[in-house]
Amino acid sequence: SLASTAITCFTRGLDLRKGTEDVLCPANCPLWQFYVFGDGVYASLSSICGAAIHRGVITNAGGAVRVQTLPGQENYPAVNANGIQSQVLSRWASSFSVTPASKDTALEAVGRSVSTARPSTGKRPKKTLDKKAGNKDCKADIAFLIDGSYNIGQRRFNLQKNFLGKVAVMLGIGIEGPHVGVVQASEHPKIEFYLKNFTAAKEVLFAIKELGFRGGNSNTGKALKHTAQKFFSLENGARKGIPKIIVVFLDGWPSDDLEEAGIVAREFGVNVFIVSVAKPTTEELGMVQDIGFVDKAVCRTNGFFSYQMPTWFGTTKYVKPLVQKLCSHEQMLCSKTCYNSINIGFLIDGSSSVGESNFRLMLDFVSNIAKAFEISDIGSKVAAVQFTYDQRTEFGFTDYVTKEKVLSAIRNIRYMSGGTATGDAISFTVRNVFGPVKDGPNKNFLIVLTDGQSYDDVRGPAAAAQKAGITVFSVGVAWAPLDDLKDMASEPRESHTFFTREFTGLEQMVPDIIRSICKDFLDSKQ
């Protein structure tokens, strides 16, 4: 059988490279978050695991799936099956089907939980090598924020250290597995060790044993904010593209406010978990500043990010469920990904050489790219400008904050017809559309779509756009000169310049452009 590759809930058909591939879907994917297009034959924009559940190949317990790449087609239907509502798509450049993977891969996958499922290579790994690498299926950079206040006291502080040690061992820390560090919350937060300091469980255990109790007020909010801002830098060992997690251990209740710290953590793309021990009793509630402190701090209030233990005694049975949560990287909804952390501005050529029906094909192309991203007030955003000699902002980044509204605004763009001044249009877009968001958290992309020679200089305005931190993709059709396209595109120019003779060739480019955007995002962000 083929070796199977472990994938996430959000891996799409277009992320796979081979014609036929066996993959392992994790357990407990959030069903409401799946994007699935079609029925039986699925557009490659669809989530693979979502399609497999929709088709009935696996359940939400996960498992092995064989994915077969198929050509694109028209009219993918919307069908409700197995708790997933698939969506309509009028056409897409490639598709896939899902079937149960061959028996032996399936059996291997079934016997293991999501946190330990390893792709089978047929060879037994050498134990020594594996130990160093750690649990490769658990991708996480974790800061444990421990309670070092008078509230917890020396004795319970030691029990907390024991529990933390057990969690560290079960995580499977290693070079290619999870990396951890520890921060102690007391009067003033103290970073005890960083992600980069240790890559073996043995060393981490030793460092945990050596932790000294600090005492003071449990200023958890202050410690959480400090950790979110300072702990996860590249120089301190944070890795690109790996979820950042803070696990807050709280004995009783915090002595300061957690709300602002929670907001800062979310802004920094950090997933906050709260492990509360010995919840305040009814008599004690009067002393708690804010009864809803857990909900204010966690990444999302969906129940996944909060965890309760009655006391610090007998905590062994709580270790594994917590580790499984920390290793479910597809549930880390606060992580910044290319799908939820970018602004894409489309600059659309409305000149008279395009014509009404080709202009519609350009709008379909714009929609198909926009569809791939998670558009929301805290997620990715889309804007569009149409240009001839003049420019018209069709909508800005903050006008529509849901995918439905953005797609309907794109459909409603009216064709202008006129000349072609691409350089002016780039300057206009940088100033008026990107200007208002230049200090925001999202990474900025501009996609210039044109079918001909510009009457003005494009090189200067494009260089200014790149200097303002905007990555420029140029997409040319028909008579667009390659020199102009290359002059506009960001470096490396090959991967930011696209060209097709016919307007019908635009949709073939969509998966490659989405992939290039995600690659740029990963290369730029920590």
Side-chain angles (χ1 to χ4, degrees):
S1 84
L2 297 169
S4 51
T5 316
I7 59 172
T8 76
C9 299
F10 300 127
T11 306
R12 300 161 189 244
L14 57 83
D15 295 328
L16 294 190
R17 284 291 190 229
K18 302 188 193 111
T20 303
E21 199 159 339
D22 281 1
V23 297
L24 273 180
C25 286
N28 306 322
C29 290
L31 294 187
W32 50 273
Q33 287 197 331
F34 279 134
Y35 282 110
V36 176
F37 302 88
D39 179 37
V41 174
Y42 299 95
S44 65
L45 189 60
S46 311
S47 148
I48 294 169
C49 300
I53 294 173
H54 184 265
R55 192 76 184 136
V57 172
I58 56 170
T59 64
N60 208 20
V65 178
R66 176 159 292 180
V67 184
Q68 181 84 42
T69 306
L70 301 169
Q73 63 169 45
E74 305 207 347
N75 302 325
Y76 295 91
V79 172
N80 196 325
N82 299 316
I84 292 179
Q85 173 65 56
S86 75
Q87 302 178 48
V88 176
L89 197 56
S90 54
R91 51 201 296 197
W92 193 253
S94 57
S95 319
F96 65 88
S97 66
V98 284
T99 51
S102 59
K103 272 289 166 282
D104 45 352
T105 357
L107 282 172
E108 265 164 11
V110 170
R112 308 205 196 96
S113 69
V114 53
S115 64
T116 56
R118 279 215 176 71
S120 109
T121 55
K123 295 193 289 292
R124 299 194 71 153
K126 284 208 196 73
K127 268 290 170 269
T128 50
L129 279 177
D130 226 16
K131 195 106 167 84
K132 269 212 169 85
N135 179 5
K136 296 182 196 167
D137 300 314
C138 182
K139 293 278 187 257
D141 282 344
I142 308 172
F144 289 103
L145 182 50
I146 61 172
D147 190 337
S149 66
Y150 289 138
N151 211 9
I152 191 170
Q154 179 76 59
R155 179 155 166 258
R156 295 204 303 262
F157 180 78
N158 289 339
L159 293 170
Q160 174 182 227
K161 287 194 335 187
N162 292 347
F163 177 70
L164 178 56
K166 288 176 191 159
V167 171
V169 170
M170 190 166 246
L171 273 169
I173 293 164
I175 297 164
E176 297 175 61
H179 292 182
V180 307
V182 171
V183 183
Q184 185 172 170
S186 53
E187 199 65 47
H188 303 290
K190 176 173 189 247
I191 296 180
E192 302 281 2
F193 58 90
Y194 285 104
L195 296 166
K196 64 174 180 196
N197 295 127
F198 310 111
T199 52
K202 216 163 57 224
E203 302 168 341
V204 169
L205 263 182
F206 184 75
I208 290 170
K209 283 207 172 68
E210 294 295 296
L211 292 172
F213 173 60
R214 294 173 63 82
N217 276 319
S218 62
N219 287 326
T220 315
K222 184 175 170 182
L224 178 56
K225 186 176 167 186
H226 179 77
T227 309
Q229 288 170 323
K230 300 280 189 287
F231 183 86
F232 295 100
S233 64
L234 288 175
E235 56 273 20
N236 289 331
R239 295 168 290 175
K240 285 186 179 185
I242 303 275
K244 304 178 177 66
I245 299 173
I246 298 177
V247 181
V248 180
F249 288 136
L250 242 178
D251 185 282
W253 62 91
S255 59
D256 62 351
D257 185 39
L258 294 187
E259 187 165 16
E260 191 203 344
I263 292 167
V264 169
R266 288 187 286 275
E267 276 172 2
F268 275 81
V270 175
N271 299 277
V272 176
F273 284 79
I274 300 254
V275 176
S276 46
V277 183
K279 277 203 324 201
T281 60
T282 326
E283 301 80 80
E284 289 170 334
L285 276 175
M287 292 144 69
V288 182
Q289 273 193 18
D290 180 358
I291 297 172
F293 64 83
V294 172
D295 281 353
K296 297 280 173 35
V298 289
C299 161
R300 293 278 191 283
T301 55
N302 59 4
F304 183 75
F305 295 92
S306 50
Y307 196 64
Q308 281 167 0
M309 302 195 297
T311 76
W312 286 110
F313 295 97
T315 53
T316 308
K317 64 173 181 289
Y318 293 97
V319 174
K320 190 173 178 191
L322 178 60
V323 167
Q324 281 179 326
K325 280 179 187 261
L326 300 182
C327 291
S328 310
H329 55 282
E330 62 287 334
Q331 305 260 23
M332 299 301 163
L333 302 181
C334 288
S335 295
K336 294 201 178 299
T337 68
C338 66
Y339 295 117
N340 69 16
S341 305
I342 66 170
N343 299 321
I344 311 178
F346 290 95
L347 185 49
I348 306 165
D349 187 339
S351 60
S352 39
S353 54
V354 173
E356 183 75 53
S357 65
N358 286 335
F359 188 72
R360 291 284 127 206
L361 289 174
M362 281 162 86
L363 295 184
D364 288 345
F365 167 80
V366 169
S367 292
N368 279 339
I369 291 179
K371 249 182 210 137
F373 294 90
E374 292 158 28
I375 299 165
S376 73
D377 52 344
I378 58 167
S380 290
K381 299 187 174 45
V382 173
V385 172
Q386 187 180 171
F387 72 99
T388 53
Y389 282 142
D390 273 333
Q391 305 85 28
R392 182 169 81 201
T393 301
E394 302 291 353
F395 54 94
F397 286 123
T398 51
D399 292 344
Y400 303 111
V401 292
T402 68
K403 191 180 296 194
E404 289 65 40
K405 290 201 168 123
V406 164
L407 294 175
S408 116
I410 294 168
R411 275 197 300 276
N412 292 327
I413 293 176
R414 298 280 158 260
Y415 174 48
M416 281 163 75
S417 188
T420 313
T422 316
D424 265 0
I426 293 173
S427 304
F428 170 89
T429 308
V430 170
R431 188 170 61 250
N432 295 303
V433 176
F434 286 97
V437 296
K438 70 172 185 298
D439 298 323
N442 286 6
K443 181 165 169 51
N444 292 314
F445 290 88
L446 172 63
I447 298 178
V448 182
L449 193 51
T450 177
D451 85 322
Q453 175 91 49
S454 176
Y455 296 119
D456 59 1
D457 165 59
V458 294
R459 187 177 293 175
Q466 291 168 31
K467 207 169 161 188
I470 301 165
T471 302
V472 182
F473 282 85
S474 58
V475 178
V477 191
W479 306 107
L482 208 53
D483 289 350
D484 274 12
L485 296 175
K486 284 214 165 97
D487 283 345
M488 290 189 282
S490 288
E491 298 284 352
R493 298 222 154 111
E494 301 64 68
S495 58
H496 294 85
T497 309
F498 291 82
F499 177 79
T500 171
R501 273 265 157 259
E502 307 290 334
F503 282 88
T504 49
L506 283 170
E507 70 173 324
Q508 302 292 331
M509 298 177 179
V510 171
D512 288 333
I513 290 175
I514 294 167
R515 227 179 254 134
S516 298
I517 288 172
C518 285
K519 186 178 181 321
D520 286 346
F521 175 85
L522 260 188
D523 291 346
S524 71
K525 269 273 191 291
Q526 69 166 46

